[in-house]
Amino acid sequence: MGDFNTILHQEDRMHGSPVQEYETRDFREFLMNTGFCEVKTFGREYTWTNSHTYSKIDRAIANADWMINMTTQVVHILEPHFSDHSPLSISFTESPKRGGKPFKFFNCIAEHTQFQQAVEEGWNIQTNRKNMGAIWDKLKGVKQNLKRLNTEQFIGVDKKIKEVRLHLQEVQEKLSADYLNTMLMEEERELKCQLEKWSGIEESIYKQKSRIQWLKEGDSNTAYFFASMKHRYSQNHIRNLKNDQGERLHTEAEIIKEITGYMRILGTSTIPCLP
């Protein structure tokens, strides 16, 4: 966390010379090559000024291990006062409670041997409606079948990986004392196949959730995909809000109350009719 003396995006400079591609290239490639992510910020939009040019050159970045193991974090860009740089303050908060989540189709489901059957059974359900109503019912049937398949086969992938690794370790310890035991050798081979299978599924799920396209699966990027997914969730979550009185709201209850109150006022306001 500190002054990197360079911008990352075109919008990181205001009232100065136009941002050129070469100015952001090195820093952008550095983040990609090292697997660092920028921590979400709030407060001031720019961190440095010389009174006529404003730039964001101070930021907090973190690697995959930090994003995975630390609680949710957010960086507050404070007022600069007498300095030309704004100080950064990092806060750690508990992850928000997540309610019911909508069903998401993961690509690994399509590779399962029961996928085709699940789709066909869901699509061939009997319905009394016609046209688009019938299509809607069939799509709903497909969704229910895929949800069931996902629940039965892909829930708790991380737990399955831990169990397979533990079992594999036990077998290999036994095999180290009995190298010629063909049963143990076959069991070890089977466990390695299972570990490779579930690790590949986990990596595929995290890659899809992170929405990263420039990295390929199969290069042991699970940790980076997970960190990027966690970072994206953090970016999309509202952790503080400033009301009309200029007060900053931090708790979830205060934010919900402010947003619902604003929407209530907005819903009761009258919209003038155009002549």
Side-chain angles (χ1 to χ4, degrees):
M1 183 167 69
D3 176 16
F4 291 90
N5 200 32
T6 184
I7 57 177
L8 183 59
H9 308 287
Q10 186 174 2
E11 58 271 19
D12 286 347
R13 180 189 296 155
M14 183 175 67
H15 300 324
S17 58
V19 177
Q20 304 296 324
E21 191 273 338
Y22 72 86
E23 295 182 76
T24 62
R25 184 195 308 132
D26 289 344
F27 193 28
R28 187 172 62 250
E29 290 180 352
F30 162 75
L31 295 179
M32 288 183 178
N33 294 334
T34 58
F36 278 93
C37 296
E38 182 180 5
V39 182
K40 181 181 180 180
T41 62
F42 72 94
R44 289 175 59 88
E45 191 171 354
Y46 301 100
T47 65
W48 176 87
T49 181
N50 59 0
S51 298
H52 60 82
T53 299
Y54 296 84
S55 299
K56 184 179 181 181
I57 58 177
D58 304 88
R59 59 186 79 236
I61 59 176
N63 60 13
D65 289 337
W66 175 277
M67 296 296 293
I68 292 173
N69 296 311
M70 299 299 292
T71 57
T72 305
Q73 60 269 173
V74 63
V75 174
H76 186 189
I77 302 178
L78 305 173
E79 299 299 330
H81 298 296
F82 59 85
S83 174
D84 54 356
H85 284 269
S86 295
L88 306 180
S89 173
I90 188 167
S91 302
F92 298 91
T93 60
E94 293 297 328
S95 298
K97 297 180 180 179
R98 302 180 66 86
K101 295 180 289 185
F103 170 70
K104 294 181 179 179
F105 178 82
F106 294 116
N107 297 331
C108 58
I109 299 178
E111 299 176 3
H112 196 274
T113 55
Q114 299 178 20
F115 172 74
Q116 188 70 26
Q117 180 183 353
V119 173
E120 291 178 355
E121 290 179 355
W123 186 260
N124 292 330
I125 62 171
Q126 298 297 321
T127 176
N128 296 324
R129 299 202 290 177
K130 298 180 180 180
N131 302 327
M132 289 303 299
I135 295 177
W136 176 266
D137 291 339
K138 289 177 179 293
L139 290 175
K140 191 173 181 180
V142 172
K143 175 184 175 182
Q144 291 173 348
N145 282 4
L146 293 181
K147 285 181 67 176
R148 183 175 65 251
L149 180 61
N150 180 66
T151 302
E152 293 174 354
Q153 303 294 332
F154 298 103
I155 292 297
V157 173
D158 55 341
K159 184 179 179 180
K160 292 179 181 179
I161 291 176
K162 290 179 181 178
E163 292 175 352
V164 173
R165 281 178 175 164
L166 182 60
H167 193 183
L168 179 61
Q169 181 180 349
E170 293 173 353
V171 170
Q172 289 176 337
E173 288 175 354
K174 294 178 181 178
L175 193 60
S176 63
D178 188 3
Y179 289 108
L180 301 179
N181 192 318
T182 55
M183 292 183 61
L184 288 176
M185 292 171 64
E186 183 62 30
E187 188 174 3
E188 181 192 32
R189 189 179 301 110
E190 177 62 26
L191 289 171
K192 284 183 177 180
C193 291
Q194 290 185 29
L195 183 59
E196 183 179 2
K197 166 192 169 184
W198 290 115
S199 297
I201 290 174
E202 182 185 51
E203 185 178 10
S204 173
I205 291 174
Y206 286 153
K207 179 180 186 295
Q208 193 169 342
K209 284 185 175 181
S210 68
R211 300 185 182 179
I212 292 178
Q213 303 298 327
W214 56 272
L215 270 180
K216 294 182 179 180
E217 298 170 26
D219 294 331
S220 300
N221 292 310
T222 301
Y224 182 70
F225 289 142
F226 182 79
S228 299
M229 176 192 70
K230 191 174 179 182
H231 172 67
R232 190 172 65 82
Y233 286 163
S234 176
Q235 292 286 84
N236 292 338
H237 184 72
I238 300 175
R239 304 194 180 282
N240 61 84
L241 195 68
K242 186 181 291 186
N243 61 18
D244 293 337
Q245 289 73 42
E247 302 170 335
R248 193 167 293 280
L249 311 177
H250 296 280
T251 67
E252 186 175 356
E254 291 175 335
I255 294 173
I256 292 176
K257 182 179 179 181
E258 178 68 17
I259 294 176
T260 53
Y262 176 79
M263 297 305 297
R264 192 178 297 112
I265 295 173
L266 188 65
T268 56
S269 63
T270 57
I271 302 176
C273 297
L274 295 176

